[in-house]
Amino acid sequence: MAESDEEYAPGGSDDDVEAHQMTRIGGHPGSRSRAKGKDDDAFTTIRRTWEDVEEGPDGTISGTIDSLLQQGKRKRTLKDTTPLQRGIIRHLIVIIDLSAAMTEKDLRPTRYLLTIRYCQDFVTEFFEQNPISQIGIIGMRDGLAVRVSGMSGNPSDHISNLQALRNSDPKGQPSLQNAFDMARAALFHAPSHGTREILLLFGSLLSSDPGDIHTTITSLVNAHITTTVIGLSAQVAICLTLVKRTNPHSNPQKHYNIALDEVNYRELIMRLATPPESHTQEAAAAVDNSNKSSLLMMGFPSRVTDPNPSLCACHSRPTTGGYLCSRCSSKVCSLPTTCPACSLTLILSTHLARSYHHLFPLQNWKTVTWSRATSASHKHKALCFACQSPFRPNLTTSTKLVSNNTMNTSVHETGNQVNAARVSTKGALPRAQNADSASAEPSAAALLASAQGTDSSHKQRDGDQTVSESGRYECGTCGQFFCVDCDVFCHEIVHNCPGCLSREGEMLLRSEGGQNGEEAMEIDQSTTNGEKG
């Protein structure tokens, strides 16, 4: 009973047991009703999502649906765009929990199958964002560490190895110490100019270790390895200690999170695709200790195709196509990779260009209000600059015009009715006439108030900073308007602004045209002078 929270007291009554339990929850013995009220409030405090749906000025809820869709799209693009020093050459070890705790079905279909699927998506996204980096995958089962996939820059190998895990079932207990020792050994030969990272996907609440795990954590700190933990159960104390010691300059909440549901689990994993920021203190310490140049030698080979197959240096398989190393002429199958013969980093120029956008990210585009979109200087921008699709019209203005026309018509009809009443009842008291006119005025005022109330509620809903009420998003540099789909595409795929690129192209053409015009004028002048001579 040493491991239990409290000892069992035999011979106690039910009231004593209830008071004893309430002490653990509320802190006051015997406060059963108060603790029960707190539990009821915890279960009844829910979010009524149907109350967020409001009817638009056109009588439909399409505006609310579009607003919710745009919020989901803009949430991914609104990131911190501050230029920071980041490690674009990364070496990451993904540790997956393959124990019996992954058979739970709180994440559908199971934790195990969902983790494998998300890891496959993460590998694809990781190499899309970090083409000159490498990944290794380690599993934990039966108290041992199992190598799933070695350190490599080929995403197809990792995806096929992860797919093979579906043929086996999770079993046993995990061992964090054995997994960390294997990960540290795999990252031991990683060069100093790259990052050393560990991503732990942990679904258990315990770790079956053969020794002292704190000694292993100390060795990770000495090897300059950073760790990130994503838990599928409750928070574990040893994982919190791990992220605090291996990330001393960062907030632990950035590196240790618990997945709430399937969507949140995917967001936490995909967040690791962005290269981590390098802290200035660590960089200064590295420069002071090593005092070496940060230049890195790389090779840019060209693809060759042989009529007869030959063995590649990476897999020893007969292939007809491949890339020849720029230093030793060894053939490799795919890029990016490291030459197995001379250890030269082999990449393509496109890989280096794709890693460059992390250092200078595209700035977030600003939302455009209806007043700015319909102004005289921007009224001609009725189409998206990138895809040339038309923007949606301002339904609020048209609805307001219809409401004003309806109000004027009702006031006019009511006035006619009042005049007819005056003609038919000439001997009526002035008090009755005042009552009739007073009854006509509130109807017009109520109609105008309802129209203004609908407009104000619509502006309040669309006035969020993440969603534009006009469906337009403006680049702060070139001033062009874009739709939300082009906003997401430019920030997540292209990482460039079409308006800025087209403006640079126009300036380049103008400069080249000016030089050609000056050369043509010089030729004409020389020809004219020759004819005169």
Side-chain angles (χ1 to χ4, degrees), residues 62 85 135 320 365 431 529:
S62 59
Q85 182 180 358
I135 280 184
T320 56
W365 292 344
R431 185 180 300 176
N529 295 332

Side-chain angles (χ1 to χ4, degrees), residues 160-228:
S160 59
N161 293 330
L162 287 172
Q163 189 68 25
L165 291 177
R166 296 178 177 271
N167 301 328
S168 59
D169 296 329
K171 59 181 179 178
Q173 300 295 338
S175 177
L176 292 177
Q177 185 179 15
N178 292 333
F180 289 151
D181 288 337
M182 182 177 288
R184 183 173 59 87
L187 296 173
F188 178 77
H189 298 286
S192 58
H193 57 262
T195 63
R196 301 178 181 180
E197 308 170 48
I198 293 179
L199 171 60
L200 174 61
L201 305 178
F202 196 53
S204 303
L205 295 175
L206 55 90
S207 176
S208 178
D209 301 322
D212 187 6
I213 191 174
H214 293 279
T215 305
T216 304
I217 295 177
T218 303
S219 62
L220 294 178
V221 175
N222 297 332
H224 303 286
I225 298 176
T226 60
T227 59
T228 302

Side-chain angles (χ1 to χ4, degrees), residues 275-505:
E277 58 186 53
S278 300
H279 298 279
T280 55
Q281 297 179 359
E282 297 177 356
V287 171
D288 294 338
N289 294 333
S290 61
N291 196 16
K292 295 181 181 179
S293 177
S294 58
L295 297 178
L296 175 64
M297 184 175 294
M298 291 184 178
F300 298 89
S302 301
R303 183 172 179 81
V304 294
T305 303
D306 299 330
N308 299 322
S310 59
L311 296 178
C312 65
C314 50
H315 302 95
S316 298
R317 299 174 184 173
T319 57
T320 56
Y323 300 89
L324 296 181
C325 177
S326 304
R327 176 186 291 173
C328 62
S329 300
S330 299
K331 188 174 74 171
V332 294
C333 297
S334 61
L335 297 179
T337 186
T338 303
C339 180
C342 62
S343 301
L344 178 66
T345 303
L346 304 177
I347 63 172
L348 295 176
S349 59
T350 55
H351 296 154
L352 196 61
R354 280 159 51 190
S355 302
Y356 183 76
H357 70 268
H358 291 295
L359 303 179
F360 299 96
L362 181 62
Q363 298 295 321
N364 294 325
W365 292 344
K366 300 179 294 184
T367 59
V368 180
T369 59
W370 277 119
S371 59
R372 180 174 176 81
T374 56
S375 61
S377 58
H378 300 284
K379 194 173 183 179
H380 64 281
K381 300 178 182 178
L383 302 177
C384 175
F385 184 81
C387 64
Q388 296 297 308
S389 61
F391 294 113
R392 60 184 175 88
N394 189 1
L395 299 178
T396 307
T397 305
S398 60
T399 306
K400 187 183 295 185
L401 293 176
V402 173
S403 301
N404 292 333
N405 294 332
T406 306
M407 180 186 65
N408 295 331
T409 304
S410 62
V411 171
H412 182 67
E413 292 177 353
T414 307
N416 293 334
Q417 293 176 2
V418 172
N419 294 330
R422 288 176 180 175
V423 172
S424 60
T425 57
K426 293 182 179 180
L429 295 174
R431 185 180 300 176
Q433 297 179 3
N434 295 334
D436 291 337
S437 60
S439 63
E441 291 176 358
S443 62
L447 185 59
L448 180 60
S450 63
Q452 292 179 351
T454 305
D455 187 18
S456 62
S457 63
H458 181 69
K459 288 183 177 180
Q460 185 178 1
R461 185 184 69 249
D462 290 344
D464 191 14
Q465 296 294 331
T466 59
V467 180
S468 174
E469 62 180 5
S470 63
R472 296 166 173 84
Y473 300 93
E474 180 184 5
C475 175
T477 304
C478 62
Q480 298 295 340
F481 290 172
F482 301 90
C483 62
V484 64
D485 294 327
C486 293
D487 183 11
V488 176
F489 181 76
C490 292
H491 282 84
E492 293 188 351
I493 306 298
V494 183
H495 302 287
N496 286 293
C497 175
C500 298
L501 294 179
S502 62
R503 189 178 63 173
E504 293 176 359

Side-chain angles (χ1 to χ4, degrees), residues 27 72 85 102 126 146 150 154 163 238 275 313 417 466 482 512 523:
Q85 182 180 358
M102 299 297 287
F126 179 85
V146 183
N154 190 1
Q163 189 68 25
I238 191 62
Q417 293 176 2
T466 59
F482 301 90
E512 292 179 354
I523 293 174

